[in-house]
Amino acid sequence: MTTMDSTAPGAFGDLSEADRIAGRVYTDPEIFDEEMKRIFYKTWVWVAHESEIPEAGSFKTTHVGAEPVIVTRDRKDNFNTLVNRCRHRGATVCDQRSGKANGFTCPYHNWSYALDGRLRGVPYPDGYEGVLDKKDFPLHTLRTESYLGMIFATFNQDIEPLEDFLGDAKIWMERFLKQSNGFPTKVIGIHKFRFRGNWKIQLENTTDGYHFPMVHKSWMASVDAETADMMSFMDDPKSVTHALGNGHSVAIMAHSHVDLDIDDGTEEIQPRFAHLVEELEAAGESPERIRRYMRSMHGCGFNLNMFPNAAMSSSFFRILVPISVDQTEVWHMAIGMDGGPESVNRERLRIHEHFQGPFGFGSPDDAEGWDRVQLGAAGQPDMPIMVNRGLGREHLSDEGWPTSHVTDETGMRESYKMWKKMMSDD
Amino acid sequence: MTDLSFTDPRVLRAIELIWREAALLDAKDYRTWEAMYADDAKYVIPIDPDTDDFDASLNMVNDDKRMRGLRVQRMMQGYSQSAVAAARTVRIVSRFTVDEASDASVTIRSAQILNAFKRQTFTTIGAEMVHVVRFGETTADDQIALKVVRLVDSEDAVSASGYLL
Ligand code: FES
Ligand SMILES: [Fe+2]
């Protein structure tokens, strides 16, 4: 491991090798600043799901890197991502988490902006005669594209189209969304929590099958045998992780759920859903539909990591928001069907609550591990973090994806390959 | 809302129970805590500050008897690293107001400030609470029939470390 000299070309990239990275990439604030510049301001960053801004005038606020942004749906049904900073003196023009509006009026001197960021009006305009042309002062706008309802934005106007960037992740996005059983997917609730650690610790976790049986013992002990069985991927050779390119990867935990359209009929519907089955029968749903709903309840059986900040994780979206070198916010977004049986959505909420969130049976135990990584990484900062598990058994799948067992670190190696590439770019 | 009356013994009895609950949670005596709840009781920490229809929305906690039992088991059995390394807490419950008082039960609101300490860090959590306390034959038989904890920051990033509210 070389010592970093930040003036040397490619110096940051040297902190990562194929199977290990310097511990200081979690702890050095200078590296964090560079990551914001070279990664979060350069590539596609997930900002919203379309269901969060369902109609013309809907908006939500969030961040791209450290910058506050507003994601809007305008009258033409276009999505816009606007830097939340008034062009006059810099106040935020919106401070609500989400809502509906005709536009945004800055509370300071009342400059007002349209949903697509255009400056519509300034009060007492006579003082601006000859010095301000409104068309030159829109809110700063990011390039915004969406694929299958997932909206991404970027400060980089020259970047490749979103779909090219997603590449082979797209197949998995499609499979993931099959859990909505043909209905549009909708966000039905969000757990947000912070941990005191670097964002890459969470990035690694999404395709880390290795920690599951150890960290989530207490959750395993609290679910029924069938659910526990579904997660018994440790010794299952069919449970694999694929590196998909561009930093994306997928870890398959329950391969019988990878494509919910395929059902070999062997899976038993858990007895604890009996009340739901009855309810759906009474509502006149066919046995096939009911079986499909029940199987979809636990999600898609895999975790898809989309570099750098979004994941489709089993049955929910997992978003990470880097706050500082040693603080990260995590959002676990519960998803349901828009138009499907509400009873199934409710059951999905209960399953989500059981694992996720600050008082869930799973997330706090993950966060405990992540806090400790941050604390421990301060010891011998140049001693490497190891991501070499399964190197010896990694092979190319038929699709050409580097592949190894789900407990191996193929997904992390893919993330760090992309990290290295972006951090070395000039 | 009726005025808080310290001359109403039913109200005092409910406050006493709520304070006992706070002490048990700080002491992490979860088995005794669990026994304070009626079989049909709900223990809820909602995210949506306005909803009362907890089942229709996502919550941090939405426990019936079964889930409370599992939760207590998780806190006690030693498999959960976050519970094993839980923060120490000191909570203050005060500012009581009474919504309803009868000989059968009292619905009482309060404010809670919880200080948690873990790994050189203090965290303060502020919450509004509602308790429905159902009276038994003696004070020892009094039970909690509903507890709703509304965190002031429920819609933002909440960090918990291994304790209950
Ligand atoms: S800062 Fe926004 S109008 Fe002046
Ligand atoms: Fe985990």
Side-chain angles (χ1 to χ4, degrees):
Chain A
M1 193 65 47
T2 34
T3 314
M4 186 183 64
D5 166 7
S6 52
T7 55
F12 292 103
D14 289 347
L15 293 164
S16 164
E17 291 168 27
D19 64 346
R20 64 195 61 201
I21 29 151
R24 65 192 300 186
V25 302
Y26 296 150
T27 56
D28 185 336
E30 193 193 343
I31 296 175
F32 181 82
D33 292 345
E34 286 295 319
E35 288 172 341
M36 292 305 105
K37 271 189 237 154
R38 291 169 184 256
I39 299 173
F40 280 83
Y41 299 144
K42 275 276 169 59
T43 192
W44 288 106
V45 172
W46 184 94
V47 289
H49 184 258
E50 287 183 13
S51 67
E52 293 182 277
I53 41 177
E55 33 192 309
S58 300
F59 67 85
K60 76 173 259 196
T61 51
T62 181
H63 285 83
V64 172
E67 300 202 14
V69 298
I70 316 169
V71 191
T72 69
R73 193 195 274 252
D74 64 30
R75 304 268 165 249
K76 295 181 202 121
D77 253 352
N78 291 325
F79 299 111
N80 307 280
T81 309
L82 314 166
V83 173
N84 191 0
R85 176 193 194 277
C86 180
R87 292 301 304 273
H88 179 220
R89 219 70 73 65
T92 54
V93 298
C94 176
D95 77 337
Q96 275 160 8
R97 285 179 200 90
S98 63
K100 268 199 83 174
N102 293 320
F104 304 98
T105 301
C106 176
Y108 200 2
H109 313 88
N110 286 189
W111 285 27
S112 64
Y113 301 89
L115 290 164
D116 60 3
R118 269 177 304 119
L119 177 58
R120 270 198 310 219
V122 299
Y124 307 106
D126 39 315
Y128 282 118
E129 258 155 43
V131 291
L132 179 95
D133 190 343
K134 286 201 294 252
K135 74 174 185 334
D136 297 335
F137 290 88
L139 296 178
H140 187 94
T141 304
L142 284 74
R143 212 173 121 189
T144 304
E145 288 175 21
S146 108
Y147 182 70
L148 296 178
M150 300 289 268
I151 308 173
F152 294 74
T154 180
F155 283 101
N156 181 358
Q157 297 294 335
D158 306 322
I159 195 174
E160 63 195 309
L162 173 65
E163 286 200 39
D164 295 351
F165 170 71
L166 292 172
D168 287 349
K170 288 191 297 181
I171 311 163
W172 295 92
M173 293 172 77
E174 245 170 76
R175 287 180 179 157
F176 177 90
L177 294 166
K178 288 187 181 186
Q179 64 188 288
S180 300
N181 303 304
F183 294 97
T185 301
K186 109 176 145 178
V187 172
I188 53 176
I190 310 180
H191 280 133
K192 297 181 181 177
F193 61 96
R194 279 188 186 198
F195 69 97
R196 284 189 287 148
N198 187 268
W199 65 279
K200 298 186 293 303
I201 298 169
Q202 148 72 93
L203 181 75
E204 294 163 15
N205 178 267
T206 298
T207 51
D208 178 4
Y210 192 29
H211 81 287
F212 202 93
M214 280 75 85
V215 169
H216 300 306
K217 234 186 229 150
S218 101
W219 175 80
M220 297 276 264
S222 73
V223 293
D224 52 61
E226 292 89 345
T227 306
D229 201 48
M230 210 180 279
M231 297 308 286
S232 64
F233 48 74
M234 298 307 285
D235 319 304
D236 183 346
K238 282 196 274 183
S239 295
V240 294
T241 298
H242 300 296
L244 302 171
N246 286 352
H248 315 315
S249 60
V250 63
I252 300 166
M253 285 90 62
H255 47 82
S256 61
H257 275 212
V258 159
D259 185 337
L260 284 165
D261 289 340
I262 300 168
D263 180 3
D264 67 4
T266 57
E267 184 183 334
E268 305 266 355
I269 301 306
Q270 282 123 305
R272 72 183 159 114
F273 296 143
H275 66 285
L276 255 182
V277 171
E278 261 170 52
E279 203 181 311
L280 292 168
E281 275 167 358
E285 296 270 7
S286 69
E288 296 75 38
R289 282 306 284 174
I290 295 174
R291 183 171 168 81
R292 168 74 185 222
Y293 289 136
M294 295 304 115
R295 290 185 72 237
S296 70
M297 200 92 80
H298 295 281
C300 63
F302 59 80
N303 283 0
L304 170 66
N305 215 9
M306 290 172 277
F307 188 88
N309 79 323
M312 287 176 147
S313 185
S314 186
S315 56
F316 61 100
F317 303 145
R318 168 144 67 168
I319 307 303
L320 69 86
V321 185
I323 306 293
S324 62
V325 68
D326 56 3
Q327 271 217 66
T328 305
E329 197 162 301
V330 183
W331 297 2
H332 288 173
M333 310 178 81
I335 56 172
M337 295 171 287
D338 191 356
E342 273 309 305
S343 54
V344 177
N345 281 351
R346 283 181 185 222
E347 194 64 36
R348 291 183 67 100
L349 287 170
R350 302 290 88 78
I351 292 173
H352 194 80
E353 283 161 356
H354 191 149
F355 193 98
Q356 321 294 345
F359 297 89
F361 286 39
S363 303
D365 293 329
D366 279 321
E368 175 68 19
W370 305 338
D371 279 6
R372 288 187 182 215
V373 168
Q374 188 68 24
L375 291 167
Q380 293 292 300
D382 281 315
M383 209 155 74
I385 304 284
M386 305 304 294
V387 289
N388 61 348
R389 185 175 158 87
L391 253 188
R393 52 184 173 182
E394 201 169 277
H395 58 279
L396 283 187
S397 71
D398 293 345
E399 298 89 345
W401 299 323
T403 297
S404 197
H405 190 251
V406 69
T407 61
D408 293 343
E409 286 149 355
T410 302
M412 290 159 234
R413 290 194 283 276
E414 178 60 32
S415 304
Y416 282 114
K417 197 169 136 194
M418 189 64 171
W419 183 92
K420 184 181 171 79
K421 179 168 174 264
M422 299 198 80
M423 292 296 280
S424 327
D425 273 356
D426 294 315
Chain B
M1 187 172 89
T2 62
D3 283 336
L4 172 66
S5 166
F6 282 108
T7 55
D8 185 337
R10 299 170 305 182
V11 171
L12 287 183
R13 198 162 149 178
I15 291 175
E16 217 186 305
L17 188 81
I18 292 165
W19 276 340
R20 181 145 40 97
E21 184 196 22
L24 286 172
L25 287 173
D26 281 339
K28 300 188 169 52
D29 184 353
Y30 295 120
R31 295 229 186 275
T32 316
W33 171 77
E34 188 189 358
M36 296 179 81
Y37 281 73
D39 280 354
D40 61 344
K42 278 271 199 174
Y43 162 53
V44 192
I45 309 177
I47 293 171
D48 182 341
D50 302 315
T51 192
D52 287 311
D53 187 356
F54 306 122
D55 290 349
S57 47
L58 189 70
N59 308 280
M60 287 178 245
V61 172
N62 181 5
D63 284 0
D64 56 9
K65 183 182 165 69
R66 185 185 74 95
M67 282 300 286
R68 268 194 308 279
L70 291 171
R71 188 176 297 280
V72 167
Q73 215 178 320
R74 174 178 127 83
M75 302 307 276
M76 312 288 292
Q77 72 197 349
Y79 290 163
S80 158
Q81 281 314 308
S82 62
V84 169
R88 291 191 62 181
T89 61
V90 173
R91 66 196 76 200
I92 293 170
V93 184
S94 188
R95 205 202 66 198
F96 293 99
T97 56
V98 179
D99 273 7
E100 254 177 63
S102 75
D103 289 344
S105 72
V106 164
T107 303
I108 190 164
R109 287 172 192 275
S110 58
Q112 168 167 279
I113 293 180
L114 176 145
N115 290 291
F117 177 75
K118 177 174 173 174
R119 296 194 185 119
Q120 311 308 318
T121 304
F122 263 104
T123 310
T124 302
I125 293 187
E128 305 258 0
M129 299 200 293
V130 175
H131 281 83
V132 175
V133 174
R134 199 180 283 156
F135 298 122
E137 300 242 323
T138 68
T139 49
D141 308 314
D142 293 351
Q143 283 189 314
I144 298 170
L146 173 72
K147 177 182 181 180
V148 181
V149 184
R150 294 190 193 271
L151 297 177
V152 292
D153 58 348
S154 65
E155 292 182 292
D156 276 320
V158 170
S159 333
S161 39
Y163 50 82
L164 296 190
L165 287 173

